[in-house]
Amino acid sequence: TGCSADEAEELAERMVKAMDPAGEVNGHELDVSVSVGWSHMDPDRAVRFAELVKQADLALYEAKVLGRGRQHRFAPELAARVSSQRQARLGLERALEAGDVDVRFEPVVTLDDRSLAGLTARLWWESDDIGTVGPDMIAELTSSGGPLVAMVETLLDSVCPALADTAETSEPTPWVGFALARAHLLHPAAMDMVVERLGSASIDASRVRIEVAEQVVVDSHVAAALDRIRSTGAELSVEHFGAGPPSLLRLSAYPATSICIDKSFVEGICHEGTDTIIMSALASRAIELDLQMSADGVSSENQVSELVELGFTTARGPLFRSDFSCSRLGVTRSRRAVV
């Protein structure tokens, strides 16, 4: 009471920064972050206390969506956007139940001979109200909950047959991967489903690659879920590497067999500059740790040449999509297609 908006923002920033350094409790290092949502009542406009708290709650939701460990102030347009997202999430849930969400596979190629290294499964939804909803937007809609179990079930229902479809495609046999978000990893029922299906006698779990964003892998809350995944024999790939804070020093701590560099670095790789220097250092460190190096968003032959020179072994992106078809891959069942 009685503080200005600037003072409230300063307090929120202090709260976030107070939790920034990792703390030690009984010999264990705890890396805990805090997200703050807040709203300020205009003295000229009366707002009930309950409404003020609701606004702050919406701002907190936004702070988490934006990446956690930050503060965010409520704005009127935020309420309309959150309402729209919630409606979209309900629509996605109905579409999953009706079988109206597609699983599309994107090829990952071996750079030296352009053979198929693997397939990455992604959810796509053609909504009558919104239009085409891609994997990134679906992830955003479900970042704090939603039809998580149905999403995992839809992915597994296509990934498992795809493993059989591609078993005789080439040598070595391509892997099949799919992404799990933080919300999936923290959802007991979703994780039970993944572990149960990967543990099935009919599935070669060693050919499954679970993709987890770098900012999620470093979250201590998901460590137990990642251990469960690795215990099945499935591989773990760190995705969007480098998109967040510098992480080269943490590379050895990741429970992964491969990392995929974010496409933002690939875009600048053919130009002398920071991106090339960072990728060179990253590749050298990954080779030391016996990690497979992959790249996302490859769109030109020049980028391929640079990646090969740096030690990258596989990549995906627009350049390779037209080289593979469902018939060539043997992925013939309905409702699944190569992007």
Side-chain angles (χ1 to χ4, degrees):
T1 301
C3 73
S4 67
D6 289 341
E7 290 171 328
E9 183 171 12
E10 181 183 354
L11 174 60
E13 285 287 356
R14 282 174 26 220
M15 293 170 68
V16 172
K17 290 178 180 178
M19 298 297 289
D20 189 27
E24 186 173 307
V25 178
N26 295 331
H28 298 281
E29 185 178 281
L30 300 181
D31 187 6
V32 183
S33 65
V34 62
S35 300
V36 180
W38 61 281
S39 181
H40 187 260
M41 185 176 71
D42 188 335
D44 297 328
R45 178 177 174 269
V47 177
R48 290 185 302 172
F49 179 75
E51 181 66 19
L52 198 65
V53 173
K54 182 178 179 180
Q55 292 175 357
D57 188 51
L58 289 173
L60 175 60
Y61 172 85
E62 184 73 357
K64 292 178 178 179
V65 168
L66 292 173
R68 303 176 181 270
R70 67 182 66 209
Q71 60 86 19
H72 197 80
R73 179 184 180 179
F74 172 80
E77 59 270 18
L78 178 59
R81 182 154 58 84
V82 170
S83 176
S84 176
Q85 288 178 333
R86 286 174 176 168
Q87 290 300 315
R89 191 185 301 119
L90 289 173
L92 174 62
E93 186 169 1
R94 289 192 292 267
L96 284 164
E97 292 175 353
D100 292 334
V101 176
D102 292 323
V103 176
R104 303 180 188 176
F105 290 93
E106 180 170 17
V108 179
V109 305
T110 304
L111 291 176
D112 58 357
D113 61 3
R114 303 298 174 90
S115 63
L116 181 68
L119 292 170
T120 296
R122 295 285 187 263
L123 292 175
W124 287 79
W125 172 34
E126 297 294 339
S127 168
D128 294 336
D129 299 323
I130 306 174
T132 300
V133 181
D136 291 342
M137 186 173 178
I138 289 177
E140 181 180 341
L141 289 174
T142 56
S143 61
S144 61
L148 300 172
V149 175
M151 291 170 64
V152 169
E153 185 175 21
T154 300
L155 283 166
L156 288 170
D157 283 347
S158 287
V159 166
C160 294
L163 288 167
D165 287 345
T166 57
E168 307 298 330
T169 301
S170 61
E171 185 63 37
T173 307
W175 48 261
V176 181
F178 62 97
L180 290 178
R182 183 180 189 274
H184 293 123
L185 295 169
L186 294 179
H187 195 293
M191 283 306 304
D192 287 346
M193 180 178 292
V194 171
V195 172
E196 181 181 349
R197 296 285 285 272
L198 293 183
S200 170
S202 62
I203 293 179
D204 181 2
S206 66
R207 288 183 55 215
V208 178
R209 179 168 295 187
I210 306 297
E211 302 168 352
V212 182
E214 182 189 14
Q215 66 178 16
V216 176
V217 172
V218 299
D219 187 336
S220 60
H221 296 92
V222 305
L226 296 179
D227 287 342
R228 290 188 69 190
I229 290 172
R230 294 291 284 132
S231 70
T232 67
E235 293 190 356
L236 182 67
S237 176
V238 179
E239 299 291 300
H240 306 299
F241 190 89
S247 37
L248 193 58
L249 296 177
R250 293 200 302 252
L251 200 55
S252 60
Y254 294 151
T257 54
S258 63
I259 60 174
C260 184
I261 196 75
D262 190 70
K263 58 186 177 183
S264 60
F265 282 98
V266 177
E267 291 171 356
I269 194 174
C270 293
H271 310 286
E272 293 295 332
T274 305
D275 286 353
T276 302
I277 295 172
I278 292 175
M279 289 185 69
S280 178
L282 171 62
S284 298
R285 181 64 174 149
I287 291 172
E288 291 176 5
L289 297 171
D290 196 28
L291 288 170
Q292 298 177 32
M293 291 287 296
S294 190
D296 188 17
V298 176
S299 59
S300 72
E301 293 293 346
N302 288 337
Q303 290 173 345
V304 171
S305 299
E306 292 287 343
L307 290 169
V308 170
E309 188 172 337
L310 288 171
F312 283 73
T313 55
T314 62
R316 64 175 179 247
L319 181 65
F320 311 115
R321 290 171 189 163
S322 62
D323 295 338
F324 294 88
S325 65
C326 291
S327 58
R328 176 180 170 184
L329 297 172
V331 181
T332 56
R333 289 173 173 79
S334 62
R335 299 189 53 73
R336 288 185 283 124
V338 175
V339 178

